[in-house]
Amino acid sequence: MPSPPPGVTMTGMETTVAEIADGIYRLSTYLPDVAAPAGFTMNQFLIDAEQPLLFHCGQRELFPLVSQAVSRVLPVERLRWITFGHVEADESGSMNQWLAAAPRSEVAHGELGCMLSINDMADRTPRALADGEVIDLGGKRVRHLDTPHVPHNWEARVLYEETTGTLFCGDLFTQVGNGPPVVSDELVEPAMLAEDAFNQTSLGPLTVTTLRRLAALQPRTLAVMHGSSYSGDGGAALNTLADRYRERLTARLAA
């Protein structure tokens, strides 16, 4: 996904904090020069539990802003788990800065991602998770789900927080602009407009099947990395997104 252009200063930017589900916080930095004129948000998510978890690290240059935002909810050094959807600058770029700031923290990712990249890249040995494995955070429970190549990258995965029904979607449902922290109306059409602009999703034989699997969870909140998160019938939104990608894949195969 897009990153800040070289030389862009963080001066004047801020990372806002909003609770999108019980004990789950969206940390959002608006970058007006990315995908201009609409701009683009980089969102991380913090789960406040006995063992706090961060989903998405952000780029290295955003670390000062995002870490300050975390500190408004809980001390950064309390972080226990550092997680992200796949290996990419906006998702994992500041991983080692978080490991340094939170001495008890560990990176947790899927077995494939650890084998391919994270074992070598992380300053501490990561915890490799099997598909469907659950980490009990104390008051919250996150389930790791492998989603290879969905939306992109071989090691892609999502997390599902079971007590609140929150699906941490990564780049799924990406939108441009600086919308509200959470919406409850249309999510798919803005996501398809962003797809037209970025063409970021890998359309392959497992795309629709993977989205149907996530829809079966019936999430109540979709935590979206770029754009507004969603509160409502997450299963229906995921099934509609699957339908739209199936249409596009069918059209490409017929071309």
Side-chain angles (χ1 to χ4, degrees), residues 60-216:
R60 290 180 298 167
E61 61 190 319
L62 291 183
F63 177 77
L65 289 175
V66 179
S67 59
Q68 284 181 356
V70 167
S71 70
R72 299 206 291 272
V73 180
L74 52 84
V76 171
E77 58 269 22
R78 275 196 59 214
L79 284 174
R80 180 66 181 85
W81 300 103
I82 307 299
T83 65
F84 39 86
H86 51 267
V87 178
E88 201 170 64
D90 61 344
E91 301 227 6
S92 60
S94 60
M95 168 181 65
N96 287 322
Q97 289 166 280
W98 290 105
L99 289 174
R104 294 182 57 254
S105 65
E106 295 177 68
V107 173
H109 199 86
E111 293 171 342
L112 184 60
C114 291
M115 179 189 71
L116 290 173
S117 301
I118 302 168
N119 287 339
D120 179 70
M121 295 172 63
D123 286 345
R124 285 199 289 277
T125 302
R127 174 169 168 178
L129 302 172
D131 186 41
E133 186 171 346
V134 172
I135 299 178
D136 189 339
L137 303 178
K140 296 284 190 292
R141 290 169 52 86
V142 291
R143 190 190 318 170
H144 160 81
L145 298 166
D146 289 325
T147 62
H149 300 293
V150 180
H152 44 252
N153 289 33
W154 189 11
E155 77 284 354
R157 62 80 170 263
V158 298
L159 288 181
Y160 180 63
E161 203 291 300
E162 297 178 342
T163 69
T164 59
T166 299
L167 184 68
F168 296 89
C169 297
D171 287 331
L172 292 171
F173 296 104
T174 286
Q175 313 134 53
V176 300
N178 189 21
V182 185
V183 297
S184 57
D185 51 6
E186 177 57 51
L187 189 70
V188 175
E189 288 308 316
M192 299 315 294
L193 290 174
E195 185 70 40
D196 290 337
F198 302 129
N199 197 30
Q200 77 272 14
T201 302
S202 298
L203 295 182
L206 295 179
T207 305
V208 172
T209 302
T210 299
L211 291 173
R212 300 280 191 227
R213 178 192 182 202
L214 299 180

Side-chain angles (χ1 to χ4, degrees), residues 5 40 56 101 115 180 230:
F40 206 60
H56 303 147
M115 179 189 71
Y230 176 78

Side-chain angles (χ1 to χ4, degrees), residues 1-11 13 29-36 39-44 58-63 65-66 88-91 93 225-226:
M1 296 303 298
S3 292
V8 169
T9 176
M10 298 296 109
T11 303
M13 293 185 182
T29 310
Y30 175 60
L31 305 179
D33 295 326
V34 177
F40 206 60
T41 55
M42 301 288 179
N43 304 326
Q44 295 78 37
Q59 296 96 328
R60 290 180 298 167
E61 61 190 319
L62 291 183
F63 177 77
L65 289 175
V66 179
E88 201 170 64
D90 61 344
E91 301 227 6
M225 183 174 187
H226 304 293

